[in-house]
Amino acid sequence: MEYTLEQIASQVRRDIVRMVTAAASGHPGGSMSATDVLTYLFFKEMNVTPENWRRDGEGLDQFFLSAGHISPVLYSLLARRGYFPVDELATFRRYGSRLQGHPSVDKNLPGVNQAAGSLGQGLSVALGAAVAKRMKGDPHTVYVLIGDGESEEGQIWEAAMAAAHYKVDNLIAMTDWNHQQIDGRVEDVAGLGDLRSKWEAFGWTVLEGDGHDFTDIERVFKKARSRSRLGSPVMILWHTEMGHGVDFMAGTCKWHGKNPSVEQCAEAMKQLEETMGDFAL
Amino acid sequence: MKEYIDTGKKDTRSGFGAGLALLGDSNPKVVAMTADLKGSLKMDAFAAAHPDRFFDVGIAEANMVGMAAGLAIAGYIPFIGTFANFATARVLDQIRQSVCYSRTNVKIAASHAGITLGEDGATHQTLEDIGLMRQLPGMVVLNPCDYNQTRAATLAAAAWNGPVYLRFGRPGVPNFTPADQPFEIGKAIHLEEGSDVSIFATGHLVWEAIQATRELEARGVSVDLIDIATIKPLDKEAVIASARKTGKVVVAEEHLIAGGLGEEIAAVLAAACPTPMRFVAIDDQFGQSGKPAELMAAYGLDAAHIIEAALSF
């Protein structure tokens, strides 16, 4: 049966909260802020399926997650999209699991093409992959998601300069701009200032969108595609909320890297509709 | 003892440049990148012949490692070149996560390694790189000894499926190994058979070890001399067999004792056949400015110090 994007996103948020609760660790906050954007990306935007996915991305759109700590949202989406069995989500962070705390290629989990976790590296990797597509004449697009807190890493700006310098216009980068990092509000910890102007000054085409409104998400992705291949890399700044979807988890850094208790998980489940069937625990 | 003919001094980095140029012509998957050190890394020939596969990414080593990983995921074989210090210590975490843990087929070409970088001084003289690189799971560490061997090692690195750290240097040094040699990764190169003492040397210290061996043989000491061009994976069989035969081991390298080839061999021998050892290497200090030969002597990295070590058991 066909599910709406809202239904999928609701199930993905349920998966995230249940995974980190079962593992008694993990990063729900950023996973839930990125859920809607990535749901659209995996179910509507990208030209890649579980059947034709391959690590080298040849002849396909490619996605790199740079902010590796939000692995729960990636794993849930890959499972819900059909890359591996949904019940495998129950193994998250357990010994021997393909679902490592942070994404890894070590155990050959389908859909994951690069390890991430140590922040700031994924934009460079995506840039390399985009350059490779251009060299091969492959017309597909490389997508990458970074965090706003992650943008404090110097390597992000090295990659930003290089992408513009090489006019890598088959690269669509996205920032999950939820304004939270482990130690507090990004603005209080190490403010990014005028993020839009920074990316523009680095030579990027910058778009902004509401990362929790599927109508706007669709509008901005369409715009991003129309603005790519014009000589500049594209950055989408998604306005999001950490912990979005559960009232006591939303808008605070408290849930960046903390799991809910069993009782809190039950409370969260009341706020998130089960649409596609929970994975078995 | 065999004759080792110095066909003229050449820098090992030019051996890399020659190997890279050959690869550029023979393998369309090979890509070269540098962080503003194209000339120093002798990448000019590759860059001129294959501008579409050459990237000077500017002074941004971390991004270079990441881009190389992305190119490798797509099936290319990127060689990233910069000074050894900036190719290792500066980007250790990028190499660890984006290259080794992600099993991307990236080749790290590290020039100006060791104290023979010379006049630029300690900021640029890395003496820790072998230790940093050999600790990373899955990393191959090559440290060839002259121009010809570096050229051959460059070709072997491209043929190897997985991350490789290829270490070479700045100054001209005797070029004495065969021009057409095969380079077998993981294989020690047995230069001289002997029975009194084993000398394991790597990189620039191999030529010094040959001079030392000649002098030791003249004094009646029989030397088992082995060129360790592949530091990792170490040819343990060759190391153990030699140590069993001689019962005395000298290791010579242009590196700190900490983390170096000597420690690696010591760990192997401690488990398999504990053997007295001497380390011709630098002990817990930074270098300084000076001429390469002058620094080698001052920091105890020459034939005289190898002889002294071999006679000290």
Side-chain angles (χ1 to χ4, degrees), chain A residues 55-56 62 64 104-106 108 113-118 121 124-125 127-129 131-132 135-136 155 158-159 162 166, chain B residues 31 52-53 55-57 59-63 66-67 69-71 73-76 93-94 97-99 101-104:
Chain A
R55 190 185 175 198
D56 66 12
Q62 225 173 350
F64 290 89
S104 162
V105 299
D106 207 35
N108 301 313
N113 42 28
Q114 179 71 348
S118 176
Q121 300 187 28
S124 299
V125 177
L127 169 59
V131 168
M135 290 167 73
K136 289 177 178 177
Q155 188 180 346
E158 289 187 7
Y166 289 113
Chain B
V31 172
D52 53 323
R53 285 189 274 138
F55 300 91
D56 190 334
V57 300
I59 310 163
E61 294 82 5
N63 180 55
M67 280 183 72
L71 283 155
I73 288 170
Y76 287 102
D93 187 42
Q94 283 77 12
Q97 174 173 290
S98 290
V99 177
Y101 186 48
S102 293
R103 297 195 311 251
T104 51

Side-chain angles (χ1 to χ4, degrees), chain A residues 71-111:
Chain A
S71 57
V73 66
L74 176 66
Y75 295 152
S76 169
L77 278 165
L78 288 173
R80 296 295 170 183
R81 186 75 177 78
Y83 283 79
F84 55 83
V86 167
D87 283 348
E88 195 169 341
L89 294 175
T91 70
F92 176 56
R93 286 182 168 247
R94 295 193 192 283
Y95 178 74
S97 173
R98 297 197 291 180
L99 280 58
Q100 292 288 296
H102 293 78
S104 162
V105 299
D106 207 35
K107 298 180 191 297
N108 301 313
L109 184 68

Side-chain angles (χ1 to χ4, degrees), chain B residues 179-193:
Chain B
D180 57 351
Q181 65 190 296
F183 188 99
E184 200 177 332
I185 289 176
K187 194 86 185 144
I189 300 161
H190 218 134
L191 296 176
E192 293 294 325
E193 293 279 351

Side-chain angles (χ1 to χ4, degrees), chain A residues 201-234:
Chain A
F202 275 75
W204 288 55
T205 297
V206 182
L207 306 174
E208 294 185 52
D210 180 344
H212 298 309
D213 174 350
F214 282 111
T215 308
D216 206 45
I217 291 171
E218 180 173 25
R219 177 187 69 83
V220 175
F221 268 122
K222 280 185 173 160
K223 196 167 171 188
R225 247 177 295 148
S226 73
R227 299 288 291 279
S228 67
R229 276 75 178 180
L230 294 175
S232 304
V234 176

